[in-house]
Amino acid sequence: MIVVGAGPVGLTAALLLGRRGHEVRVLERRPEPPGCPAPCTWTARRCGCSPTPGWPRASPR
């Protein structure tokens, strides 16, 4: 199996698939996997996330 992206979700998927006996390869386009997810704050009107250094800022929808 191939997992695209070495972020938190991709690595979790790879871990769970590996535990089920699958041979897993993780592909990441950047030379280093991203860091830990940034903390988010939720209000009634928007979500604001601090960007991980080197990654674009998430914009609220």
Side-chain angles (χ1 to χ4, degrees):
M1 300 222 140
I2 296 175
V3 174
V4 178
V9 174
L11 294 178
T12 301
L15 175 71
L16 295 174
L17 289 166
R19 285 183 179 174
R20 291 184 174 219
H22 297 282
E23 185 177 331
V24 181
R25 180 165 294 219
V26 178
L27 302 179
E28 173 59 46
R29 70 179 168 146
R30 297 178 184 261
E32 297 282 328
C36 294
C40 291
T41 56
W42 294 87
T43 66
R45 301 180 79 187
R46 61 177 276 193
C47 167
C49 295
S50 302
T52 300
W55 288 76
R57 180 178 292 278
S59 59
R61 294 183 175 192

